[in-house]
Amino acid sequence: MDRKEFLIKTALCGGALAAATSPMKLFGGPSSAAKPKSPELKLSFQEGIAPGDSLEAKLDFMESLGIKGLEPGGGNLSSRVSELTSKLQGRDIKISAICAGFSGFLLSEDASVRKQCMDSMTEILEAAGALGARGVILVPAFNGQKPALPHTRETRNFLVEELHELGEIAAKFNTTVILEPLNRNEAHYLRQVADAASLCRDSKSSGIACMGDFWHMTAEETSDYGAFFSAGPYLKHVHIASRGNRIMPGEDGEVDNYIEGFRALKALNYDGYVSFECGTRGDRAETVTAAVNLLRKQWSEAKI
Ligand code: MG
């Protein structure tokens, strides 16, 4: 059944198609994760995190702190491939992931808006593959994006079909689409890491992955450990921020504890990046440095 036909039948038959997709498991779950070996903490910054007036100055600062990844936005990424490649040449910093930058959205009622999303994601995925990024971060629908398909089983089945299509495109470019669960204030549709992981499993494409963002997880998850562990091999990226105000880790004091989450990453032998996505209320050079030191300390304190 193609997507157009699916939508027509869904409108006519309501729940009749609810059982259309069987939850066949294509990949191993967390139990199949490799034996933990004490993975290193690989930190990454979005472009706005490091102080500096130019990308070169930011990269110099990052290298001085031992930061291993850069997470650029996806807007106009194809026009930046040579710039980013040349500026990273000779440095010990790689492109970690690409943060969104697409237009349209996958759960729009309007087929032309869904196509905008597919087309713009395809362009960003090609650039992401050329840059060696682990994936391009995607949110199926933000709260403000309307009109959206209703939050039903039929819509989930439809989303799985769309993700399969997009995942195969990503795989062709040797990268992935990384589903990001957000908190309820930003996106009620996909809020928990385990839900994103089940979409990965059901999409039946090696090009679909997921991530966890400690900021959103603070609001939505009951256990950092449980959330990350549930994603198992589908977990390809992590975002981090302080847990009270989304500023630098440590700026909110004692609530900025990531040890339980880090324990899960170690147990999974997670080999991806933990990438900063946050603001600051202090002097950036100082708060960023303090945050990096705090995270390294907590990583060493996280026991499997
Ligand atoms: Mg995030």
Side-chain angles (χ1 to χ4, degrees), residues 180 182 211 213 216 239 246 277:
E180 181 172 19
L182 304 182
M211 63 175 288
D213 179 328
H216 300 295
H239 276 165
R246 209 177 193 180
E277 181 181 53

Side-chain angles (χ1 to χ4, degrees), residues 3 102-110 113-115 117-118 121 138-141 145 149 155 158-159 162-163 166 177 179 208:
R3 285 184 288 138
F102 54 90
S103 53
F105 66 109
L106 280 187
L107 291 177
S108 174
E109 278 185 0
D110 183 338
V113 176
R114 296 197 298 272
K115 185 171 185 308
C117 183
M118 283 287 185
M121 276 297 290
L138 175 83
V139 174
Q145 292 180 309
L149 293 170
T155 297
F158 176 65
L159 176 60
E162 288 186 303
L163 290 176
L166 206 46
V177 173
L179 295 172
I208 296 295

Side-chain angles (χ1 to χ4, degrees), residues 141-144 181-192 215-222:
F142 288 91
N143 286 346
L182 304 182
N183 73 68
R184 67 198 73 178
N185 297 320
E186 296 184 34
H188 75 275
Y189 193 89
L190 181 57
R191 297 179 295 107
Q192 294 191 299
W215 164 248
H216 300 295
M217 288 164 62
T218 305
E220 301 295 342
E221 307 285 358
T222 53

Side-chain angles (χ1 to χ4, degrees), residues 22 159 234:
S22 79
L159 176 60
Y234 303 113

Side-chain angles (χ1 to χ4, degrees), residues 271-285:
D271 65 355
Y273 295 85
V274 174
S275 193
F276 282 54
E277 181 181 53
C278 52
T280 184
R281 288 183 181 162
D283 176 80
R284 192 167 284 277

Side-chain angles (χ1 to χ4, degrees), residues 38-60:
S38 232
E40 62 164 326
L41 174 63
K42 279 198 301 187
L43 294 174
S44 160
F45 285 179
Q46 290 189 343
E47 281 186 84
I49 298 296
D53 296 333
S54 63
L55 184 54
E56 287 90 340
K58 289 171 184 287
L59 291 169
D60 287 344

